[in-house]
Amino acid sequence: MSDMRVRFAPSPTGFLHVGGARTALFNWLLARKQGGTFILRIEDTDVERSTQASIDAILQAMEWLGLNWDEGPFYQTDNFDLYRGYVQKLLEAGKAYKCYCTAGELEAKREQAMKEGRKPKYDGTCRERDDYLADRPFVVRFRAPQAGEVAFDDLIKGRIAFPAEELDDLIIQRSDGTPTYNFCVVIDDAIMKITTVIRGDDHVNNTPRQIQLYEALGFPVPKFAHVPMILGDDKARLSKRHGATSVMAYRDMGFLPEALINYLVRLGWSHGDDEIFSREEMIRKFDINNVGRSASVFNTDKLLWLNAHYIKNGDPAQLAGLLAPHLAKRGIDPQCGPEVAAVVRTLQERAQTLEEMAERAAFYFKAPESYDEAALAKFDKEHLRAVFDAVAGRLETATAATAAEIDALFKEICADKGWKMGQVGQPVRIALSGGSQAPGIGEIVVTLGIGETVKRIARARETVAA
Ligand code: GLU
């Protein structure tokens, strides 16, 4: 194990967003690559907006993506005493002070600053006071150093510097005694000995304040990597209005975790022209320094392409397990019918999502209730009867057991009767599946089984060819 320690620190105020998942992935990859430790920390200090349902949803999404963590989940609400202790330390060292300004006073000062064209900033009224107002509510502010600049070398964005005078005296404890977000993050990252903080670049402005806090508390400052945002196709920040943003919505739409992970790693990071990465390859090749500085646009077509790739090359037994809930959604009990892995084998070549696969697989489990009239209309009833009788007759005595053998048997029937393959294959495909879009005829027959095939042909003969 190396000393590298990274963390993913979601706020449980909703589901896991694909942007959050990518941040988690980058952290995970770095830890796995360097033999480091990946920590999961739930930032639930916003008690009003944090919910158990969101925590569960985030953990479930992390597990589904296979982003296993080594320590945690830790919850910030378990650490309130710890944070208060550090607030006290800063107060005693004179590095923080009690501020008695009321919300009304602060608002008036803010408006005044705006009117005068000044950047609103706490004016320091309580910074220098030494009287203690026992009967008045107070917040605790950090006495932010005002001279020089606060700079850091971001692993993705390069050097970033902020003039210290622009940095406010941050409130670190509210009047109700609860610690504020930026303060908790610093204490946790320090206590957890985080060596590299990888997070969304919406936090860049928090970083200089946090660095000042690390320094005031005497903690080593970690490295920072701020990951650019993910945008929708109109270049606005990816949101619900662009389509699904929740990781689990992608699962429900029939995406494989491998495909989503592979898609997300390429969103902002590249390794030559490579597009397909197994987890091992990702771990080996990922380098946080090669993450691009600009925002990336989410491209659903590319995700679909990757998904099709992973379905096509997936292990049928494993895909069968993932397909089961999509079948259940259609009222299909995967226990009743052919072996699901065999069904998958006939469909994986062409399905882009598991939803699409489930849609196409339904006929294996449920005999057709109706038949594609337009496709049937190409054949007269007499021909249909002849085909159904010939095929059922041959199948009943057949010993053929593989798709290739069944295909050969259909060829023999064609040769015997002087029919073209389409004249036989199409009617039988319709009899078996209801439609004409289905896998090869040999594959269908073998997967359905001869008994069920003959039964369905008999039913079609009665219904459409009588
Ligand atoms: N809880 C913050 C968020 O969900 C992350 C903060 C951090 O990574 O430092 O945006």
Side-chain angles (χ1 to χ4, degrees):
M1 272 246 159
S2 78
D3 292 339
M4 144 158 299
R5 290 171 66 83
V6 292
R7 83 317 193 259
F8 176 52
S11 303
T13 54
F15 50 70
L16 183 61
H17 186 278
V18 287
R22 186 183 53 158
T23 302
L25 173 64
F26 285 1
N27 273 289
W28 183 84
L29 286 171
L30 207 63
R32 294 295 168 260
K33 185 187 175 92
Q34 306 209 359
T37 304
F38 176 50
I39 298 163
L40 180 61
R41 181 171 81 223
I42 304 291
E43 302 208 318
D44 56 350
T45 49
D46 185 345
V47 184
E48 301 264 288
R49 293 175 60 224
S50 300
T51 64
Q52 186 59 43
S54 299
I55 295 174
D56 295 343
I58 291 168
L59 299 183
Q60 190 192 24
M62 294 283 288
E63 277 163 21
W64 182 71
L65 289 170
L67 300 179
N68 58 319
W69 53 91
D70 307 306
E71 290 180 17
F74 297 111
Y75 296 87
Q76 288 190 318
T77 44
D78 289 340
N79 283 347
F80 275 161
D81 288 344
L82 179 82
Y83 307 136
R84 272 190 213 109
Y86 280 100
V87 169
Q88 207 48 44
K89 263 195 180 151
L90 285 179
L91 278 171
E92 281 161 16
K95 292 178 176 174
Y97 60 90
K98 293 179 179 174
C99 169
Y100 302 92
C101 297
T102 64
E105 284 163 3
L106 291 173
E107 184 53 28
K109 284 177 192 168
R110 210 182 71 87
E111 273 172 21
Q112 187 63 27
M114 300 283 268
K115 226 195 273 165
E116 291 168 16
R118 282 184 288 117
K119 218 168 160 185
K121 185 184 161 192
Y122 179 60
D123 68 352
T125 303
C126 296
R127 193 178 162 104
E128 306 307 335
R129 73 187 307 156
D130 43 23
D131 51 341
Y132 172 55
L133 309 178
D135 54 339
R136 292 261 302 270
F138 63 89
V139 300
V140 178
R141 283 185 189 270
F142 174 55
R143 195 185 299 278
Q146 295 291 294
E149 61 171 23
V150 183
F152 58 100
D153 290 309
D154 191 279
L155 297 177
I156 295 173
K157 293 178 178 281
R159 187 174 171 80
I160 301 181
F162 293 80
E165 60 180 9
E166 273 183 20
L167 303 173
D168 236 334
D169 279 358
L170 191 75
I171 297 177
I172 56 176
Q173 182 175 293
R174 300 184 192 87
S175 54
D176 63 2
T178 56
T180 57
Y181 167 73
N182 275 299
F183 190 68
C184 301
V185 171
V186 169
I187 302 299
D188 280 333
D189 284 341
I191 297 294
M192 292 176 186
K193 298 198 172 354
I194 300 301
T195 52
T196 308
V197 170
I198 304 174
R199 60 183 169 204
D201 68 1
D202 46 338
H203 289 284
V204 164
N205 288 338
N206 288 330
T207 305
R209 303 165 198 286
Q210 295 183 3
I211 290 175
Q212 286 186 325
L213 284 169
Y214 280 104
E215 287 169 348
L217 289 157
F219 291 133
V221 180
K223 291 184 189 133
F224 292 96
H226 288 95
V227 184
M229 292 285 101
I230 300 178
L231 308 178
D233 43 19
D234 59 356
K235 307 280 154 70
R237 188 175 170 174
L238 187 70
S239 72
K240 272 195 195 139
R241 112 194 120 74
H242 297 106
T245 55
S246 142
V247 167
M248 295 318 263
Y250 282 92
R251 179 198 64 177
D252 296 345
M253 288 189 287
F255 287 88
L256 302 183
E258 289 83 351
L260 190 54
I261 287 279
N262 193 151
Y263 179 70
L264 290 176
V265 81
R266 279 285 293 105
L267 207 53
W269 173 75
S270 58
H271 184 270
D273 292 330
D274 301 354
E275 289 294 355
I276 311 273
F277 296 90
S278 68
R279 264 175 217 259
E280 292 68 35
E281 279 170 331
M282 261 182 233
I283 292 170
R284 196 154 27 84
K285 295 178 176 167
F286 182 75
D287 183 348
I288 193 81
N289 296 299
N290 287 349
V291 173
R293 289 183 183 198
S294 46
S296 336
V297 174
F298 198 86
N299 179 341
T300 310
D301 288 339
K302 188 166 167 197
L303 174 57
L304 276 167
W305 174 79
L306 278 166
N307 207 47
H309 166 87
Y310 282 99
I311 289 181
K312 194 167 157 179
N313 296 288
D315 166 42
Q318 207 177 347
L319 289 171
L322 296 171
L323 185 66
H326 299 273
L327 292 173
K329 217 156 100 179
R330 289 167 173 75
I332 294 167
D333 176 359
Q335 307 293 328
C336 306
E339 191 207 342
V340 184
V343 168
V344 167
R345 246 178 251 121
T346 70
L347 297 168
Q348 69 188 122
E349 196 65 37
R350 282 175 291 267
Q352 281 197 303
T353 66
L354 293 174
E355 271 293 281
E356 205 178 294
M357 188 186 268
E359 196 61 51
R360 293 192 189 155
F363 83 87
Y364 280 114
F365 302 90
K366 284 182 183 168
E369 281 160 13
S370 62
Y371 301 95
D372 181 342
E373 296 290 336
L376 277 175
K378 291 189 200 130
F379 309 99
D380 59 40
K381 288 198 176 179
E382 202 180 326
H383 173 74
L384 290 175
R385 272 199 299 276
V387 166
F388 291 153
D389 290 344
V391 172
R394 279 301 278 280
L395 283 176
E396 268 168 346
T397 57
T399 51
T402 65
E405 285 167 350
I406 299 281
D407 283 334
L409 197 134
F410 271 77
K411 280 201 190 104
E412 275 170 35
I413 297 174
C414 287
D416 280 0
K417 305 277 185 183
W419 290 325
K420 291 205 180 78
M421 194 56 195
Q423 289 175 291
V424 182
Q426 278 298 70
V428 173
R429 195 176 269 124
I430 296 167
L432 300 180
S433 73
S436 48
Q437 300 286 329
I441 198 78
E443 284 184 299
I444 306 181
V445 173
V446 166
T447 310
L448 271 179
I450 301 238
E452 178 66 16
T453 302
V454 170
K455 223 158 82 188
R456 290 192 188 186
I457 291 176
R459 190 163 331 122
R461 191 191 188 288
E462 262 169 44
T463 326
V464 296

